[in-house]
Amino acid sequence: IENSQTAASILRAVTQALTRQARVDSHADEIEVNEILQESILVVGGRLKHFDVDKTFGELPKIAGRRSHIGQVFTNLLANACDAVAEKRDLANGTGKSFDGKIRVSTHGTLDGSEGVCIIVADSGMGVPENLRQKIFDAFFTTKPVGIGTGLGLSVCAEIIREHDGVMTVSSDEDLGGARFEVWLPSE
């Protein structure tokens, strides 16, 4: 009975998160970024559970934005991190080496002194080579094999962030060794 109650509770939380993220936002509202990020973690939870996930959420101001659009960005970044870590894990397993994939999600309230919110999704995957970082946000560009992915996810995410007067960048994460995506959104 206890397992059934736990499963029902998880299912209810995931259903609520999906419902909130699936709504069509006709206008910007005041939104809580950490809350939306937690919902995105729930949505991708089935894939995240295979990896060590470190979450560090800072205290953030509310921002003006479209909740479902911001949720789409976070869900995509988390899913891509899962894909990258799984790919590296599979390569390591093919050589007989063990690999414990890691994903770090963090938020804080400023970026280079600019008021707003900063969201970081970093992983221990293969990373994004420097020569591809300028192309990674272009429509139809993908680093995935043919038949997997459309190359639209990151371009749509970048467009959503631009529409919210924000910035999204990619670099290498010094600690984890994989990709590090940073999203900055201005506060009101």
Side-chain angles (χ1 to χ4, degrees):
I1 290 174
E2 188 176 318
N3 286 344
S4 293
Q5 289 173 331
T6 300
S9 177
I10 292 169
L11 184 57
R12 184 173 25 262
V14 170
T15 301
Q16 289 171 343
L18 285 169
T19 300
R20 281 191 290 273
Q21 288 196 7
R23 282 197 184 115
V24 176
D25 297 325
S26 58
H27 64 281
D29 287 319
E30 270 198 346
I31 56 175
E32 300 233 6
V33 169
N34 284 337
E35 185 178 292
I36 297 168
L37 191 52
Q38 286 284 23
E39 289 173 2
S40 295
I41 288 169
L42 275 173
V43 170
V44 186
R47 296 171 70 190
L48 286 170
K49 71 180 181 182
H50 301 289
F51 310 112
D52 178 21
V53 180
D54 176 31
K55 299 176 280 193
T56 308
F57 298 140
E59 198 167 313
L60 303 178
K62 289 184 178 182
I63 65 166
R66 294 183 174 199
R67 180 185 187 89
S68 64
H69 291 190
I70 298 299
Q72 180 180 351
V73 171
F74 297 161
T75 300
N76 189 279
L77 291 176
L78 290 165
N80 282 353
C82 289
D83 289 346
V85 174
E87 181 182 355
K88 189 169 181 180
R89 179 195 59 206
D90 293 346
L91 287 172
N93 287 344
T95 63
K97 297 178 182 176
S98 75
F99 171 74
D100 295 327
K102 293 182 175 36
I103 297 173
R104 185 175 45 237
V105 182
S106 61
T107 63
H108 56 89
T110 59
L111 178 68
D112 298 330
S114 299
E115 291 300 315
V117 298
C118 185
I119 303 93
I120 300 167
V121 177
D123 63 63
S124 61
M126 303 297 279
V128 179
E130 189 144 357
N131 64 329
L132 300 181
R133 291 184 192 158
Q134 293 300 318
K135 299 176 189 177
I136 199 88
F137 300 114
D138 292 347
F140 306 110
F141 180 82
T142 183
T143 59
K144 295 179 181 175
V146 174
I148 298 175
T150 60
L152 290 173
L154 287 174
S155 69
V156 169
C157 290
E159 181 60 28
I160 288 169
I161 297 305
R162 279 191 297 272
E163 288 172 0
H164 285 81
D165 298 322
V167 177
M168 183 161 58
T169 61
V170 62
S171 61
S172 290
D173 190 84
E174 291 180 17
D175 294 332
L176 298 180
R180 175 187 176 98
F181 285 86
E182 288 191 37
V183 174
W184 179 82
L185 295 165
S187 59
E188 298 182 309

